[in-house]
Amino acid sequence: MIRKIIRIDESKCNGCGACAEACHEGAIGMVNGKAKLLRDDYCDGLGDCLPACPTDAISFVEREAAAYDEAAVLAAKKIKNNAMTAATTEKPKNNTATAAATETTGCPGSRAELLRPNGESEHTSYTGHASETAAPAAASQLTQWPAQIKLMPVTAPYYNGANLLIAADCTAYAYGNFHNEFMKNRITVIGCPKLDSVDYTEKLTAILQANDIKSVTLARMEVPCCGGLERAAQAAVQTSGKDIPFRTVVISTDGRVI
């Protein structure tokens, strides 16, 4: 039948997962870091997902599609609810686990995890070992202000000859030695494409074009929504027209470089 149904433009999708979380029918899921309409018959065509999308990647189209199957949606919800109930009532088999996912649907970037249930710290550095004694207070390696990409000036004396670190907001919190291993001797700019709901490409391109940047390091979390920051940084380097060395560092949610 011909009916109204959503269409997802993957070229605009930043992988935040907000639409999947907003879709009460479970028609949308995250596949390889992109939102995807999983089943036509789960989409009711009402568009609860549209206002949740920060990049306007979702629109309505009229096309040949299976009719909305409310019974199938309700059955899928029942299976999901039963699985979640079983997961929350099952006694943990190992209370020393370092990470436990408590949510399996919605945005991967906002999924709740208990990383160190007993308060232990496994990773002080990916090149060293956990210390048996309390570590001394570390000095901040932030060399300029502001740090938020949206607030950064396009030109400033500290850019010239600088190595630029473009970091996702959460990286410095997830990785214990972030200041010393990544921020030291770099100009640091931070952002989150999911929370800011902007495309950083234009601002980053302007900074690279207007200044003598020696290298760019992109530090991101492993979650899909951080892909938007990485794509913006890569596009900025390419669009700048300069041969600037670029590398990406990925931090896991339990504080490892992966």
Side-chain angles (χ1 to χ4, degrees), residues 8-256:
I8 301 174
D9 185 345
E10 291 192 6
S11 66
K12 293 183 178 180
C13 176
N14 68 0
C16 72
C19 58
E21 191 170 5
C23 180
H24 304 297
E25 290 72 31
I28 301 175
M30 302 304 296
V31 179
N32 297 324
K34 294 284 188 177
K36 185 177 181 63
L37 179 60
L38 301 178
R39 291 184 55 160
D40 287 1
D41 59 340
Y42 279 18
C43 178
D44 59 11
L46 297 179
D48 288 346
C49 53
L50 268 70
C53 180
T55 61
D56 294 324
I58 303 177
S59 60
F60 278 127
V61 295
E62 287 195 2
R63 64 170 174 83
E64 182 72 31
Y68 172 60
D69 190 341
E70 184 177 8
V73 170
L74 293 175
K77 284 183 178 181
K78 183 176 181 180
I79 293 173
K80 173 186 170 183
N81 290 337
N82 289 341
M84 292 180 65
T85 300
T88 55
T89 56
E90 182 182 359
K91 183 178 180 180
K93 296 180 180 179
N94 182 1
N95 61 6
T96 61
T98 59
T102 59
E103 179 65 54
T104 58
T105 59
C107 175
S110 59
R111 182 174 298 146
E113 293 184 54
L114 181 62
L115 301 180
R116 284 175 279 276
N118 296 321
E120 71 272 16
S121 178
E122 289 190 348
H123 307 287
T124 57
S125 168
Y126 72 94
T127 57
H129 302 282
S131 173
E132 295 181 357
T133 60
S140 171
Q141 297 298 328
L142 184 65
T143 59
Q144 93 293 328
W145 187 262
Q148 286 282 352
I149 296 175
K150 293 199 297 183
L151 302 178
M152 293 293 291
V154 172
T155 60
Y158 49 69
Y159 285 129
N160 291 318
N163 295 300
L164 187 67
L165 172 66
I166 304 171
D169 288 351
C170 299
T171 52
Y173 294 94
Y175 190 71
N177 204 31
F178 193 82
H179 275 245
N180 286 326
E181 292 189 37
F182 296 106
M183 292 173 59
K184 189 173 183 179
N185 299 322
R186 291 188 174 96
I187 295 298
T188 301
V189 299
I190 62 175
C192 176
K194 180 175 181 179
L195 298 182
D196 289 345
S197 299
V198 297
D199 184 350
Y200 298 120
T201 304
E202 184 176 352
K203 182 67 170 288
L204 293 174
T205 300
I207 292 173
L208 296 181
Q209 288 179 334
N211 303 281
D212 180 23
I213 302 295
K214 296 300 184 184
S215 69
V216 174
T217 299
L218 186 284
R220 56 163 290 184
M221 297 300 295
E222 64 177 324
V223 296
C225 47
C226 264
L229 183 61
E230 182 175 6
R231 286 189 289 274
Q234 290 174 335
V237 171
Q238 183 176 3
T239 307
S240 72
K242 297 181 179 181
D243 185 16
I244 303 175
F246 178 88
R247 70 164 178 146
T248 296
V249 177
V250 181
I251 309 294
S252 70
T253 54
D254 63 348
R256 296 172 292 112

